[in-house]
Amino acid sequence: MYRFSNTVIGFLNLFTLLASIPIIGGGLWMARSSTTCEVVMLFLIATLMGLTIFGFVVTSQGGGVQVPGRVYKEYHLQDYSPWLRKRIKDPDYWRAIRSCILGSKTCAKLAFWTPLDYLEKDMSPIQSGCCKPPTSCTYNTATMVAQDPDCYQWNNAPTMLCYECDSCKAGVLEDVRRDWRKLSVLNIVMLVFLIGIYSIGCCAFQNTRRAETDYPYGENRMTKVRPRWDYYWWRWWRDRREALY
């Protein structure tokens, strides 16, 4: 895993996983509890569901565009969600990511590629966006033609390349999107597990109440007290005896 993953993807994964730990722990605790479990458990389930839905909404866009005649894809910043674009464009945030990409030597691996390699080999999103100009760019032409703005950001210097290109930012977002989607699938598994705990805990709670009362849960076990069959006879005999004496 590249070093930039430890700051971008690693942070997002760690945040969501840490948020899931108290949810799962709370679910296990509530399953053992003999008190009412509906309110708190439903809140825990709703929290995890909200995190999962947020992850899917944020990562629903993007995915890259296939380049004709090439194996790799290219990525465009405008294809990703506004929430992700806003954060990746932050200068301080991007400066930290850029330094991590430089330190990972990701682009150095392409320095020995031949023109044939560019036709036959695949690239990671980071390599496609940061280590080369867009495939549509044309250089050394006699006339000026309108091109992708990233074409003018490209520089052959190893410390420059296309690190300031929007395609590089898009490549980072694509890596984040892929890992976040995997984490969202894990959250769904956790959510199903938590709902199962909720159901089992509530069933156990209701069964315990039934065992204590021998009546269905919610039914009043108090009945009207009725006198024995000889109560009225003994009462009549007692009254007659008192009247005689």
Side-chain angles (χ1 to χ4, degrees), residues 118-191:
Y118 281 90
L119 294 174
E120 296 180 347
K121 291 185 178 182
D122 197 6
M123 298 183 186
S124 69
I126 299 294
Q127 290 174 329
S128 176
C130 305
C131 305
K132 66 171 188 60
T135 307
S136 61
C137 295
T138 57
Y139 299 101
N140 301 322
T141 58
T143 58
M144 294 293 294
V145 293
Q147 300 192 87
D148 189 316
D150 283 347
C151 296
Y152 305 105
Q153 294 286 351
W154 167 258
N155 191 305
N156 285 324
T159 58
M160 296 294 295
L161 300 182
C162 216
Y163 293 131
E164 296 302 324
C165 299
D166 284 348
S167 61
C168 187
K169 296 181 177 67
V172 173
L173 291 184
E174 179 60 22
D175 263 3
V176 172
R177 188 188 77 90
R178 291 180 181 182
D179 279 7
W180 210 343
R181 296 281 284 190
K182 295 176 184 177
L183 190 61
S184 295
V185 173
L186 177 61
N187 281 345
I188 291 177
V189 175
M190 292 181 176
L191 182 61

Side-chain angles (χ1 to χ4, degrees), residues 3-13 88 93 96-97 100 172-173 176:
R3 287 176 56 191
F4 77 89
S5 300
N6 295 329
T7 57
V8 183
I9 300 172
F11 174 78
L12 294 174
N13 291 351
I88 202 70
Y93 187 73
I97 296 176
C100 288
V172 173
L173 291 184
V176 172

Side-chain angles (χ1 to χ4, degrees), residues 46-74:
T47 301
L48 184 56
M49 186 177 295
L51 288 173
T52 304
I53 293 174
F54 175 76
F56 274 108
V57 170
V58 169
T59 61
S60 61
Q61 301 175 352
V65 178
Q66 190 66 50
V67 180
R70 309 296 170 93
V71 180
Y72 58 82
K73 292 182 178 181
E74 292 186 339

Side-chain angles (χ1 to χ4, degrees), residues 26-80:
L28 292 171
W29 178 80
M30 289 300 299
R32 297 181 54 193
S33 177
S34 60
T35 58
T36 303
C37 57
E38 284 84 355
V39 176
V40 177
M41 284 292 292
L42 286 177
F43 173 76
L44 296 176
I45 292 174
T47 301
L48 184 56
M49 186 177 295
L51 288 173
T52 304
I53 293 174
F54 175 76
F56 274 108
V57 170
V58 169
T59 61
S60 61
Q61 301 175 352
V65 178
Q66 190 66 50
V67 180
R70 309 296 170 93
V71 180
Y72 58 82
K73 292 182 178 181
E74 292 186 339
Y75 306 89
H76 305 287
L77 190 59
Q78 65 270 18
D79 293 339
Y80 294 86

